[in-house]
Every structure is written in C-alpha cells, then in structure tokens.
Amino acid sequence: MAGRRTYHHGDLRNALLDATIELVRERGAKGFSVSEAARRAGVSSSAPYRHFADRDALLAAAAQQAFGELEASFAELSLGETLAARAAQIVVAYVAFARADPARFEIMFASGIDKSSHSELLETTRHTQDRLEAALSPFIPQAELVDRAAQLWSIAHGVAALAVSGNLHHVVDSAHVDTLAADAARTWAIAVGGTGVHAPTP
C-alpha cells in the first residue's frame, strides 16, 4: 500500500527495497526516484543515502535481491533425467518467475543498470549462470557448457519478455505460455543433444 510506513531500526534498507519494487510496479523503472522511495518508506529524502550511493545503487540492490530469488526458484526444481526435461523445467520456471512479478523482472533487466558497475549484482547474476551450467553439465561437454547455458537462458528470457509485455497474444493465449516455453526448450535440447538427450553413462 502506498503512503508512509514505519520500520524497525536496522530495517531501512529492506524498507527502501520494498518501496522500490512498489514504485516500479506503479510507474516503471523510468518513473522511479530515490526521493519517492524514501517517502514511501516514511523517511527523509536524505535517509536512503545512508545505504545507497545513488539511484542506480538502489535499483542495483533491488535487482540483486531479485536475482537471488530467481536462483532460489531454480534450486527448488526437482530436475528431470533428460536434457529435454531439464531444459523445459528451467525455461518454464523462468517464465513463471517473470510473470509472477513483472516489476521485479523489469528491475533485473530493463532498469538501465550497468551490472558491470555493481560488483555484487554482477556476482549474483553469475551465480544464476552457474546454477544453469550445473543443471546442464551431465549432458553438455565442458567446453560448450557456458555457451549452451547462455543459449537456454536467452530462450527463457525471450519467451518471458514477450509474455510479460503482452506480445504473445497473437500467437498463444496466456494459459498456454508455459506450453510454448517448454516446447521451445525441448526443441533446443534436441538440437543440442541430438538423440543423446540422456545423461551419458559413467
């Protein structure tokens, strides 16, 4: 709910992150301001600078939190025994994550933040890449693993971005986005692995 709120001592950082997500939901990342986040958190306009150097730092922290949530959602998957099954699970989970909170997804990817300028955020995104590589590693040669994981991430992101922006309506209705996502992932898996979509025998 918009408006002033109270926070316990030491919780200002989290209150500001909550306010940031709230504002992006209402106005988009371009409409976000530190002063308005401070107002929503019930503090002075100078208070956020105790924790964040500037607007980009606050958005980067919100993005880092969101990437952590994405990685946690991947960690909850009970991964299948074939490359095609795992790829489908990952892409469907990614799309579901984006659709569950488009504002969070916008902060992660469309807020204009240069991740290379925020080392903690960049490291968190690498953790997500590492988790994808680990999921694919039984099926993909080590030399190809980084590129293959990035390919699958790109497929997932493309479907997610189209879905949250409403640009898939001409192809498929909302209820069938997961089917589209899974089919795209399985097609990638077949192209990558050919008939060898099962993990190789040790």
Side-chain angles (χ1 to χ4, degrees), residues 14 21 26 57 64 75 112 119 128 138 147 157 193-194:
N14 287 331
I21 291 286
E26 295 176 12
Q64 182 183 353
S119 59
T128 304
D147 287 347
H157 189 80

Side-chain angles (χ1 to χ4, degrees), residues 74 77 85-99 152 156 159-160 177-186:
F74 286 153
L77 295 176
R86 290 193 180 192
Q89 287 175 293
I90 289 167
V91 172
V92 169
Y94 188 98
V95 173
F97 179 87
R99 296 175 76 195
L152 189 63
V159 177
V177 169
D178 284 354
T179 301
L180 176 66
D183 286 347
R186 293 188 190 102

Side-chain angles (χ1 to χ4, degrees), residues 2-202:
R4 295 179 68 85
R5 67 189 75 187
T6 60
Y7 64 92
H8 299 291
H9 180 68
D11 284 349
L12 175 56
R13 187 179 190 278
N14 287 331
L16 289 167
L17 292 175
D18 289 344
T20 298
I21 291 286
E22 183 179 87
L23 281 166
V24 175
R25 286 194 187 107
E26 295 176 12
R27 306 179 181 182
K30 291 183 179 179
F32 165 80
S33 70
V34 175
S35 59
E36 181 60 17
R39 190 187 72 78
R40 296 288 178 95
V43 297
S44 69
S45 59
S46 62
Y49 298 102
R50 301 172 195 169
H51 296 276
F52 305 103
D54 52 27
R55 177 182 183 276
D56 281 2
L58 179 48
L59 284 171
Q64 182 183 353
Q65 178 177 281
F67 272 104
E69 292 166 355
L70 175 61
E71 186 182 352
S73 73
F74 286 153
E76 293 174 357
L77 295 176
S78 179
L79 293 172
E81 297 181 356
T82 67
L83 176 59
R86 290 193 180 192
Q89 287 175 293
I90 289 167
V91 172
V92 169
Y94 188 98
V95 173
F97 179 87
R99 296 175 76 195
D101 192 346
R104 176 177 59 182
F105 192 68
E106 180 179 357
I107 288 171
M108 293 166 72
F109 296 106
S111 59
I113 297 299
D114 179 4
K115 292 180 176 63
S116 66
S117 298
H118 300 275
S119 59
E120 292 183 354
L121 171 57
L122 186 60
E123 185 64 22
T124 304
T125 63
R126 286 175 176 152
H127 290 165
T128 304
Q129 171 77 11
D130 290 344
R131 186 167 290 279
L132 291 178
E133 291 176 21
L136 302 179
S137 62
F139 312 94
I140 303 293
Q142 185 64 36
E144 300 176 14
L145 195 53
V146 172
D147 287 347
R148 296 305 191 188
Q151 288 171 2
L152 189 63
W153 189 336
S154 298
I155 291 167
H157 189 80
V159 177
L162 288 169
V164 298
S165 64
N167 286 314
L168 281 176
H169 293 323
H170 67 292
V171 177
V172 63
D173 61 46
S174 179
H176 293 92
V177 169
D178 284 354
T179 301
L180 176 66
D183 286 347
R186 293 188 190 102
T187 300
W188 169 86
I190 292 169
V192 167
T195 59
V197 292
H198 289 268
T201 302

